[in-house]
Amino acid sequence: MLKQALVTGSATGIGRAIGLDLAQQGFDVAFHYNRNQEAANQAAQEAQTYGVKAITLQADITDSDRAKSLVDQAADRLGGLSVMINNVGNFLQRKTSEVSLEEWHEILNSNLNSTFYTTRTAIPYLKAAGGGRIINFACASAQNVLARNLDTPYMIAKTGIIIYTKSLAVELIPDQITANIIAPGVVENSVGLEGVIPRLPSKRPATLQEITNAVRFLIAPTADYITGQVLEVSGGWKL
């Protein structure tokens, strides 16, 4: 498998950690950002210290044309694409009946639609590479169809990502392309940790390294036969 990866939302946080871990493994990496160019440049510069090619690309991937352009540019500048990781997605806490039309569209666009836009463009490149990996991000318990008190649009989007990814997994396995989902719970860079940590079975959030470990597992050659799976990194939260 070629070693070229695009990670969306990789200027900061989980995406940045994933991009740097890929660079440590010898992957050329495209760091995507929407607004924070300085942080993306810093991440790429750090990645380059591992002796790989690291570039930054800007795009608002809630726009289908810009999302397509992002993937095309990444493949062109890296010389191909074998790993597509979708990490972008805004979060909203609001009573279901009080969600505005604008908020509804924003959450579905930034999570579900952006994942669809980038992935559909990446698939031909992964096929051309002779195989590859698609890793999409959901969240803990998104595979469970339950009532949601404060995050209905977000959970609908994340559940949609799971169904979309599983469907791709079945379709693409003959092409040596796996498609899996990582579903984090509370992570060390999450907002409002003080009130959440006491409710976690683990009594602590996941570290960024624990998220990158899950990615590392799913992109390894030893995971060639693993596809369509939801890997929760949640310390038992919401089980």
Side-chain angles (χ1 to χ4, degrees):
M1 183 173 73
L2 296 176
K3 283 199 165 187
Q4 287 93 18
L6 167 60
V7 186
T8 67
S10 47
T12 60
I14 291 173
R16 179 183 189 276
I18 292 169
L20 292 176
D21 191 67
L22 288 167
Q24 282 185 288
Q25 297 176 67
F27 280 82
D28 296 329
V29 182
F31 287 83
H32 158 257
Y33 70 96
N34 187 15
R35 297 184 181 89
N36 200 339
Q37 182 178 14
E38 181 179 357
N41 287 340
Q42 290 174 352
Q45 289 168 9
E46 184 173 344
Q48 289 166 2
T49 65
Y50 298 110
V52 300
K53 184 173 185 178
I55 62 172
T56 61
L57 294 169
Q58 188 278 334
D60 175 0
I61 59 174
T62 64
D63 180 286
S64 60
D65 290 337
R66 294 175 184 176
K68 181 181 185 305
S69 178
L70 168 71
V71 177
D72 288 339
Q73 288 183 67
D76 180 61
R77 292 181 59 184
L78 295 180
L81 197 63
S82 58
V83 173
M84 178 74 238
I85 299 179
N86 287 292
N87 167 66
V88 165
N90 294 336
F91 180 70
L92 174 73
Q93 278 198 320
R94 184 92 71 245
K95 287 183 178 180
T96 305
S97 62
E98 297 176 359
V99 174
S100 70
L101 185 63
E102 292 76 16
E103 289 169 334
W104 179 272
H105 287 300
E106 177 193 354
I107 296 304
L108 266 67
N109 282 336
S110 68
N111 287 278
L112 178 58
N113 291 343
S114 67
T115 296
F116 171 69
Y117 297 151
T118 55
T119 303
R120 70 186 296 272
T121 307
I123 289 169
Y125 292 111
L126 302 186
K127 288 182 178 180
R133 300 285 192 264
I134 298 167
I135 297 178
N136 295 328
F137 270 72
C139 65
S141 82
Q143 68 269 35
N144 301 323
V145 181
L146 302 170
R148 306 291 176 173
N149 294 330
L150 296 172
D151 54 4
T152 297
Y154 180 76
M155 297 305 293
I156 288 172
K158 293 304 190 184
T159 301
I161 287 172
I162 291 173
I163 296 170
Y164 174 60
T165 308
K166 283 177 174 283
S167 300
L168 288 179
V170 175
E171 179 182 336
L172 297 176
I173 192 63
D175 297 298
Q176 311 304 315
I177 298 169
T178 65
N180 290 290
I181 305 103
I182 292 176
V186 179
V187 185
E188 63 179 301
N189 65 329
S190 300
V191 177
L193 288 177
E194 298 79 8
V196 177
I197 289 177
R199 304 200 303 271
L200 300 178
S202 59
K203 303 305 178 187
R204 69 168 180 84
T207 65
L208 292 174
Q209 184 62 58
E210 286 168 327
I211 305 298
T212 63
N213 287 345
V215 175
R216 184 179 281 239
F217 166 69
L218 289 173
I219 66 172
T222 50
D224 281 347
Y225 206 65
I226 299 172
T227 195
Q229 300 306 302
V230 179
L231 178 54
E232 287 206 0
V233 187
S234 63
W237 188 50
K238 291 192 175 182
L239 289 180

